Coordinates of all heavy atoms in Angstrom, one line a residue:
M40 N 0.8 -1.2 0.0 CA 0.0 0.0 0.0 C 0.8 1.3 0.0 O 0.7 2.1 -0.8 CB -0.9 0.0 1.2 CG -2.2 -0.7 1.1 SD -3.3 -0.1 -0.1 CE -4.1 1.2 0.8
D41 N 1.8 1.3 0.9 CA 2.6 2.5 1.1 C 3.8 2.6 0.2 O 4.7 1.9 0.4 CB 3.0 2.7 2.6 CG 3.6 4.0 2.8 OD1 3.7 4.8 1.9 OD2 4.0 4.3 4.0
L42 N 3.7 3.4 -0.9 CA 4.7 3.5 -1.8 C 5.7 4.7 -1.6 O 6.5 5.0 -2.4 CB 4.2 3.6 -3.2 CG 3.2 2.5 -3.6 CD1 2.7 2.7 -5.0 CD2 4.0 1.1 -3.6
Y43 N 5.5 5.4 -0.5 CA 6.2 6.6 -0.2 C 7.1 6.3 1.0 O 6.9 6.8 2.1 CB 5.3 7.7 0.1 CG 4.5 8.1 -1.1 CD1 3.3 7.6 -1.4 CD2 5.0 9.1 -2.0 CE1 2.6 7.9 -2.5 CE2 4.3 9.4 -3.1 CZ 3.1 8.9 -3.3 OH 2.4 9.2 -4.4
Q44 N 8.1 5.5 0.8 CA 9.0 5.1 2.0 C 10.1 6.2 2.2 O 10.7 6.2 3.2 CB 9.6 3.8 1.7 CG 8.6 2.6 1.9 CD 8.0 2.6 3.3 OE1 8.7 2.8 4.2 NE2 6.7 2.2 3.4
E45 N 10.4 6.9 1.2 CA 11.5 7.9 1.3 C 11.0 9.0 2.3 O 9.9 9.4 2.4 CB 11.8 8.6 0.0 CG 10.9 9.6 -0.5 CD 9.8 9.1 -1.3 OE1 9.5 7.9 -1.2 OE2 9.1 9.8 -2.1
T46 N 11.9 9.4 3.2 CA 11.6 10.4 4.2 C 12.0 11.8 3.6 O 12.9 11.9 2.8 CB 12.3 10.2 5.5 OG1 13.7 10.1 5.2 CG2 11.9 8.9 6.1
G47 N 11.3 12.8 4.0 CA 11.6 14.1 3.6 C 10.7 14.7 2.6 O 10.2 15.8 2.8
Y48 N 10.4 14.0 1.5 CA 9.5 14.6 0.5 C 8.0 14.4 0.8 O 7.3 15.4 0.6 CB 9.8 13.9 -0.8 CG 11.2 14.3 -1.4 CD1 12.3 13.5 -1.2 CD2 11.4 15.5 -2.0 CE1 13.5 13.8 -1.6 CE2 12.7 15.9 -2.4 CZ 13.7 15.1 -2.2 OH 15.0 15.4 -2.7
H49 N 7.7 13.3 1.3 CA 6.3 13.1 1.6 C 6.1 12.5 3.0 O 5.7 11.3 3.2 CB 5.6 12.1 0.6 CG 5.6 12.7 -0.8 ND1 4.8 13.7 -1.2 CD2 6.4 12.3 -1.9 CE1 5.1 13.9 -2.5 NE2 6.0 13.2 -2.9
P50 N 6.6 13.2 4.0 CA 6.7 12.6 5.3 C 5.3 12.2 5.9 O 5.2 11.4 6.8 CB 7.3 13.7 6.2 CG 7.1 14.9 5.4 CD 7.1 14.5 4.0
T51 N 4.3 12.9 5.4 CA 2.9 12.6 6.0 C 2.3 11.4 5.3 O 1.3 10.9 5.8 CB 2.0 13.8 5.8 OG1 1.9 14.1 4.4 CG2 2.6 15.1 6.5
R52 N 2.8 10.9 4.2 CA 2.1 9.9 3.5 C 2.0 8.6 4.3 O 1.1 7.8 4.1 CB 2.8 9.6 2.1 CG 2.7 10.7 1.2 CD 1.4 10.7 0.4 NE 1.4 11.8 -0.6 CZ 0.6 11.8 -1.6 NH1 -0.3 10.9 -1.8 NH2 0.6 12.8 -2.5
S53 N 3.0 8.3 5.1 CA 3.0 7.0 5.8 C 2.4 7.1 7.2 O 2.5 6.2 7.9 CB 4.4 6.5 5.8 OG 5.3 7.4 6.6
R54 N 1.9 8.3 7.5 CA 1.4 8.4 8.9 C 0.0 7.8 9.0 O -0.9 8.1 8.1 CB 1.4 9.9 9.3 CG 2.8 10.5 9.4 CD 2.7 11.8 10.0 NE 4.1 12.4 10.0 CZ 4.3 13.6 10.5 NH1 3.4 14.3 11.1 NH2 5.6 14.1 10.4
P55 N -0.3 7.1 10.0 CA -1.6 6.4 10.1 C -2.8 7.4 10.2 O -3.9 7.0 9.8 CB -1.5 5.6 11.4 CG -0.1 5.6 11.8 CD 0.6 6.7 11.0
A56 N -2.5 8.6 10.6 CA -3.6 9.6 10.7 C -4.3 9.8 9.4 O -5.5 10.1 9.4 CB -3.1 10.9 11.2
F57 N -3.6 9.6 8.3 CA -4.2 9.9 7.0 C -4.8 8.7 6.4 O -5.3 8.7 5.3 CB -3.1 10.5 6.1 CG -2.6 11.8 6.5 CD1 -1.5 12.0 7.3 CD2 -3.3 12.9 6.1 CE1 -1.1 13.2 7.7 CE2 -2.9 14.2 6.6 CZ -1.8 14.3 7.3
D58 N -4.7 7.5 7.0 CA -5.3 6.3 6.5 C -6.7 6.0 7.1 O -7.4 5.3 6.5 CB -4.4 5.1 6.8 CG -3.1 5.2 6.1 OD1 -3.1 5.8 5.0 OD2 -2.1 4.6 6.5
S59 N -7.0 6.6 8.2 CA -8.2 6.3 8.9 C -9.4 7.1 8.3 O -9.2 8.2 7.9 CB -8.1 6.4 10.4 OG -7.7 7.7 10.7
V60 N -10.6 6.5 8.3 CA -11.8 7.1 7.9 C -12.7 7.3 9.0 O -12.8 6.4 9.9 CB -12.5 6.2 6.8 CG1 -13.8 6.7 6.4 CG2 -11.5 6.0 5.6
H61 N -13.4 8.4 9.1 CA -14.2 8.8 10.3 C -15.6 9.0 9.9 O -16.0 9.5 8.9 CB -13.6 10.1 10.9 CG -12.1 10.0 11.1 ND1 -11.6 9.4 12.2 CD2 -11.1 10.5 10.4 CE1 -10.3 9.5 12.2 NE2 -10.0 10.2 11.1
D62 N -16.5 8.5 10.8 CA -17.9 8.7 10.7 C -18.3 10.1 10.9 O -17.6 10.8 11.6 CB -18.7 7.7 11.6 CG -18.5 6.3 11.2 OD1 -18.4 6.0 10.0 OD2 -18.5 5.4 12.2
P63 N -19.5 10.5 10.4 CA -20.0 11.9 10.7 C -20.3 12.1 12.1 O -20.5 11.1 12.9 CB -21.2 12.0 9.8 CG -21.1 10.9 8.8 CD -20.3 9.8 9.4
D64 N -20.3 13.3 12.5 CA -20.7 13.7 13.9 C -19.8 13.2 15.0 O -20.3 12.9 16.1 CB -22.2 13.3 14.1 CG -22.9 14.2 15.1 OD1 -22.4 15.4 15.3 OD2 -23.8 13.8 15.7
Q65 N -18.6 12.9 14.7 CA -17.6 12.4 15.7 C -16.6 13.6 15.9 O -16.4 14.4 15.1 CB -16.8 11.2 15.1 CG -17.7 10.0 14.8 CD -18.4 9.5 16.0 OE1 -17.8 9.1 17.0 NE2 -19.7 9.4 15.9
D66 N -16.0 13.5 17.1 CA -14.9 14.4 17.3 C -13.8 14.2 16.3 O -13.3 13.1 16.1 CB -14.3 14.2 18.7 CG -15.3 14.6 19.8 OD1 -16.1 15.6 19.6 OD2 -15.3 14.0 20.9
A67 N -13.3 15.3 15.7 CA -12.2 15.2 14.8 C -10.9 14.9 15.5 O -10.6 15.7 16.4 CB -12.1 16.5 13.9
P68 N -10.2 13.9 15.1 CA -9.0 13.6 15.9 C -7.8 14.6 15.7 O -7.0 14.8 16.5 CB -8.5 12.2 15.3 CG -9.2 12.2 14.0 CD -10.5 12.9 14.1
Y69 N -7.9 15.3 14.6 CA -6.9 16.3 14.3 C -7.5 17.5 13.6 O -8.5 17.4 12.9 CB -5.8 15.8 13.3 CG -5.2 14.5 13.8 CD1 -5.6 13.3 13.3 CD2 -4.1 14.5 14.7 CE1 -5.0 12.1 13.7 CE2 -3.6 13.3 15.1 CZ -4.0 12.1 14.6 OH -3.5 10.9 15.0
P70 N -7.0 18.7 13.8 CA -7.4 19.9 13.0 C -6.9 19.7 11.6 O -5.8 19.1 11.4 CB -6.8 21.1 13.8 CG -5.6 20.5 14.4 CD -5.9 19.1 14.8
G71 N -7.6 20.2 10.6 CA -7.0 20.1 9.3 C -8.1 20.0 8.2 O -9.3 20.3 8.5
L72 N -7.8 19.5 7.1 CA -8.7 19.3 6.0 C -9.2 17.9 5.9 O -8.4 16.9 6.0 CB -8.0 19.7 4.6 CG -7.6 21.1 4.5 CD1 -6.9 21.3 3.1 CD2 -8.8 22.1 4.6
Y73 N -10.5 17.7 5.8 CA -11.1 16.4 5.7 C -11.9 16.4 4.3 O -12.6 17.3 4.0 CB -12.1 16.2 6.8 CG -11.4 15.9 8.1 CD1 -10.9 16.9 8.9 CD2 -11.2 14.6 8.6 CE1 -10.2 16.7 10.1 CE2 -10.6 14.4 9.8 CZ -10.1 15.4 10.5 OH -9.4 15.2 11.7
R74 N -11.8 15.2 3.7 CA -12.5 15.0 2.4 C -13.6 13.9 2.6 O -13.3 12.9 3.2 CB -11.5 14.6 1.3 CG -12.1 14.4 0.0 CD -11.1 14.0 -1.1 NE -10.4 12.8 -0.7 CZ -9.2 12.5 -1.0 NH1 -8.5 13.3 -1.8 NH2 -8.6 11.4 -0.6
C75 N -14.7 14.2 2.0 CA -15.8 13.2 2.0 C -15.5 12.2 1.0 O -15.2 12.5 -0.2 CB -17.1 13.9 1.7 SG -18.5 12.7 1.5
L76 N -15.4 10.9 1.4 CA -15.1 9.8 0.4 C -16.2 9.6 -0.6 O -15.9 9.0 -1.6 CB -14.8 8.5 1.2 CG -13.5 8.6 2.1 CD1 -13.3 7.2 2.8 CD2 -12.3 9.0 1.3
G77 N -17.4 10.0 -0.3 CA -18.5 9.8 -1.2 C -18.5 10.7 -2.4 O -18.6 10.3 -3.5
C78 N -18.2 12.0 -2.2 CA -18.4 13.0 -3.2 C -17.1 13.9 -3.4 O -17.1 14.6 -4.3 CB -19.6 13.9 -3.0 SG -19.4 14.9 -1.6
G79 N -16.2 13.8 -2.5 CA -15.0 14.6 -2.7 C -15.0 16.0 -2.0 O -14.1 16.7 -2.2
E80 N -16.1 16.3 -1.4 CA -16.2 17.6 -0.8 C -15.1 17.7 0.3 O -14.9 16.8 1.1 CB -17.6 17.8 -0.1 CG -17.7 19.1 0.6 CD -19.1 19.7 0.7 OE1 -19.9 19.4 -0.3 OE2 -19.5 20.3 1.6
V81 N -14.5 18.9 0.4 CA -13.4 19.1 1.4 C -13.9 20.2 2.4 O -14.4 21.2 2.0 CB -12.1 19.5 0.7 CG1 -11.1 19.9 1.7 CG2 -11.6 18.4 -0.2
I82 N -13.6 19.9 3.6 CA -13.9 20.9 4.7 C -12.7 21.1 5.5 O -11.8 20.3 5.6 CB -15.1 20.4 5.6 CG1 -14.7 19.0 6.2 CG2 -16.4 20.2 4.8 CD1 -15.5 18.7 7.4
A83 N -12.6 22.3 6.2 CA -11.5 22.6 7.1 C -12.1 22.6 8.5 O -13.1 23.2 8.8 CB -10.9 23.9 6.8
L84 N -11.4 21.9 9.4 CA -11.8 21.9 10.8 C -10.7 22.4 11.7 O -9.6 22.1 11.6 CB -12.1 20.4 11.3 CG -13.4 19.8 10.8 CD1 -13.6 18.5 11.5 CD2 -14.6 20.7 11.1
A85 N -11.2 23.3 12.7 CA -10.2 23.8 13.7 C -10.1 22.7 14.8 O -10.9 21.8 14.9 CB -10.7 25.1 14.3
R86 N -9.1 22.9 15.6 CA -8.8 22.0 16.7 C -10.0 21.9 17.6 O -10.6 23.0 17.9 CB -7.6 22.5 17.5 CG -7.1 21.5 18.5 CD -5.9 22.1 19.2 NE -4.8 22.3 18.3 CZ -4.0 21.3 17.9 NH1 -4.1 20.1 18.4 NH2 -3.0 21.5 17.1
G87 N -10.4 20.7 18.0 CA -11.5 20.6 19.0 C -12.9 20.6 18.4 O -13.9 20.5 19.1
R88 N -13.0 20.7 17.0 CA -14.3 20.7 16.4 C -14.7 19.2 16.1 O -13.9 18.3 16.0 CB -14.2 21.5 15.1 CG -13.9 22.9 15.3 CD -15.0 23.7 16.0 NE -16.2 23.7 15.2 CZ -16.5 24.5 14.2 NH1 -15.6 25.4 13.9 NH2 -17.6 24.5 13.6
K89 N -16.1 19.1 15.8 CA -16.6 17.8 15.4 C -16.7 17.7 13.9 O -16.9 18.8 13.2 CB -18.0 17.6 16.0 CG -18.0 17.3 17.5 CD -19.4 17.1 18.0 CE -19.5 15.6 18.3 NZ -20.9 15.3 18.8
L90 N -16.7 16.5 13.4 CA -16.9 16.3 12.0 C -18.4 16.6 11.7 O -19.2 16.4 12.6 CB -16.6 14.9 11.6 CG -15.1 14.6 11.6 CD1 -14.8 13.1 11.7 CD2 -14.4 15.2 10.4
P91 N -18.7 17.1 10.5 CA -20.1 17.5 10.2 C -21.0 16.2 10.3 O -20.5 15.1 10.0 CB -20.0 18.0 8.8 CG -18.6 18.5 8.6 CD -17.8 17.5 9.5
P92 N -22.3 16.4 10.6 CA -23.2 15.3 10.6 C -23.5 14.7 9.3 O -23.2 15.2 8.2 CB -24.4 15.9 11.3 CG -24.4 17.3 10.9 CD -22.9 17.7 10.9
Q93 N -24.2 13.6 9.3 CA -24.6 12.8 8.1 C -25.4 13.7 7.1 O -25.3 13.5 5.9 CB -25.4 11.6 8.4 CG -25.6 10.6 7.3 CD -24.4 10.1 6.7 OE1 -24.0 10.5 5.5 NE2 -23.7 9.2 7.4
N94 N -26.1 14.7 7.6 CA -27.0 15.6 6.7 C -26.2 16.8 6.3 O -26.8 17.8 5.9 CB -28.3 15.9 7.4 CG -28.1 16.7 8.7 OD1 -27.0 17.0 9.1 ND2 -29.2 17.0 9.4
H95 N -24.9 16.9 6.5 CA -24.1 18.0 6.1 C -24.3 18.4 4.6 O -24.4 19.6 4.3 CB -22.6 17.7 6.4 CG -21.7 18.8 5.9 ND1 -20.9 18.7 4.8 CD2 -21.4 20.0 6.5 CE1 -20.2 19.8 4.7 NE2 -20.5 20.6 5.7
H96 N -24.3 17.4 3.8 CA -24.6 17.7 2.4 C -25.3 16.4 1.8 O -25.2 15.4 2.4 CB -23.4 18.1 1.6 CG -22.2 17.1 1.7 ND1 -21.4 17.0 2.7 CD2 -21.9 16.1 0.8 CE1 -20.5 16.0 2.5 NE2 -20.8 15.4 1.4
R97 N -25.9 16.6 0.6 CA -26.6 15.5 0.0 C -25.8 14.6 -0.8 O -24.9 15.0 -1.6 CB -27.7 16.0 -0.9 CG -29.0 16.3 -0.2 CD -30.1 16.6 -1.2 NE -31.4 16.7 -0.5 CZ -32.1 15.6 -0.2 NH1 -31.7 14.4 -0.5 NH2 -33.3 15.8 0.4
H98 N -26.0 13.3 -0.8 CA -25.4 12.3 -1.6 C -26.4 11.6 -2.4 O -27.6 11.4 -2.0 CB -24.7 11.3 -0.7 CG -23.3 11.6 -0.3 ND1 -22.5 10.8 0.4 CD2 -22.6 12.8 -0.5 CE1 -21.3 11.4 0.6 NE2 -21.4 12.6 0.1
S99 N -26.0 11.2 -3.6 CA -26.9 10.3 -4.4 C -26.8 8.9 -3.8 O -25.8 8.6 -3.0 CB -26.5 10.3 -5.9 OG -25.2 9.6 -6.0
S100 N -27.6 8.0 -4.2 CA -27.6 6.6 -3.6 C -26.3 5.9 -4.0 O -25.8 5.1 -3.2 CB -28.8 5.8 -4.1 OG -28.8 5.8 -5.5
T101 N -25.7 6.3 -5.1 CA -24.4 5.6 -5.5 C -23.2 6.2 -4.7 O -22.2 5.5 -4.6 CB -24.2 5.8 -7.0 OG1 -24.2 7.2 -7.3 CG2 -25.2 5.1 -7.8
Q102 N -23.4 7.4 -4.2 CA -22.3 7.9 -3.4 C -22.2 7.4 -2.0 O -21.2 7.5 -1.3 CB -22.4 9.5 -3.3 CG -22.0 10.1 -4.7 CD -22.3 11.6 -4.6 OE1 -23.3 12.1 -4.0 NE2 -21.5 12.4 -5.3
G103 N -23.3 6.8 -1.5 CA -23.3 6.2 -0.2 C -23.3 7.2 0.9 O -23.6 8.3 0.8
A104 N -22.9 6.7 2.1 CA -22.9 7.5 3.3 C -21.7 8.5 3.3 O -20.7 8.3 2.6 CB -22.9 6.7 4.5
I105 N -21.9 9.6 4.1 CA -20.7 10.5 4.2 C -19.7 9.8 5.2 O -20.0 9.4 6.2 CB -21.2 11.8 4.9 CG1 -22.1 12.6 3.9 CG2 -20.1 12.7 5.3 CD1 -22.7 13.8 4.4
R106 N -18.5 9.8 4.7 CA -17.3 9.4 5.5 C -16.2 10.3 5.3 O -15.9 10.8 4.2 CB -16.9 8.0 5.1 CG -17.9 6.9 5.5 CD -17.8 5.7 4.6 NE -18.3 6.1 3.3 CZ -17.8 5.7 2.1 NH1 -16.8 4.8 2.1 NH2 -18.3 6.1 1.0
W107 N -15.6 10.7 6.4 CA -14.5 11.8 6.3 C -13.2 11.2 6.5 O -12.9 10.4 7.3 CB -14.7 12.8 7.4 CG -16.0 13.5 7.3 CD1 -17.1 13.4 8.1 CD2 -16.4 14.5 6.4 NE1 -18.2 14.2 7.7 CE2 -17.7 14.9 6.7 CE3 -15.8 15.1 5.3 CZ2 -18.4 15.9 5.9 CZ3 -16.4 16.1 4.6 CH2 -17.7 16.5 4.9
Q108 N -12.2 11.6 5.6 CA -10.8 11.2 5.7 C -10.0 12.4 5.8 O -10.1 13.4 5.0 CB -10.5 10.4 4.5 CG -9.0 9.8 4.5 CD -8.7 8.9 3.4 OE1 -9.2 9.1 2.3 NE2 -7.9 7.9 3.7
L109 N -9.0 12.4 6.7 CA -8.1 13.5 6.9 C -7.1 13.5 5.7 O -6.5 12.5 5.4 CB -7.3 13.3 8.2 CG -6.3 14.3 8.6 CD1 -7.0 15.7 8.9 CD2 -5.4 13.9 9.7
I110 N -7.0 14.7 5.0 CA -6.1 14.7 3.9 C -5.0 15.7 4.1 O -4.0 15.7 3.4 CB -6.9 15.1 2.6 CG1 -7.6 16.4 2.8 CG2 -7.8 14.0 2.2 CD1 -8.2 16.9 1.4
A111 N -5.1 16.6 5.1 CA -4.1 17.6 5.4 C -4.2 18.1 6.8 O -5.3 18.3 7.2 CB -4.1 18.8 4.4
S112 N -3.1 18.2 7.5 CA -3.2 18.7 8.8 C -1.9 19.4 9.2 O -0.8 19.1 8.6 CB -3.4 17.5 9.8 OG -3.4 18.0 11.1
H113 N -2.0 20.3 10.1 CA -0.7 21.1 10.4 C 0.2 20.3 11.3 O 1.4 20.4 11.2 CB -1.1 22.4 11.1 CG -1.8 23.3 10.3 ND1 -1.3 23.8 9.1 CD2 -3.0 23.9 10.3 CE1 -2.1 24.6 8.5 NE2 -3.2 24.7 9.2
A114 N -0.4 19.5 12.2 CA 0.5 18.8 13.2 C -0.1 17.4 13.6 O -0.5 17.2 14.7 CB 0.6 19.6 14.4
P115 N -0.2 16.5 12.6 CA -0.7 15.1 13.0 C 0.4 14.4 13.8 O 1.6 14.6 13.5 CB -0.9 14.5 11.6 CG 0.0 15.1 10.7 CD 0.1 16.6 11.2
R116 N 0.0 13.5 14.6 CA 1.0 12.7 15.4 C 0.6 11.3 15.3 O -0.5 11.0 15.3 CB 1.0 13.1 16.9 CG 1.6 14.5 17.1 CD 1.6 14.9 18.5 NE 2.1 16.2 18.7 CZ 3.4 16.4 19.0 NH1 4.2 15.4 19.0 NH2 3.8 17.7 19.1
Ligands
ZN456 ZN1 -20.0 13.9 0.4

């Protein structure tokens, strides 16, 4: 899966924070940018905020449920 083993150029690619997918209406584990896996919508969350609820935006039946994935963060650990 992880093709970015070199350090320095893409140091965030191998961090587990960017691999996990989060359900709506949960506490966001990190501040940063989250992308909806169903439709690609991107949101920015500040530290301590919750992920938007399932009714944040509309999906077609083929897009499925809203699921959020962290795509960028200032300080993931
Ligand atoms: Zn969506």
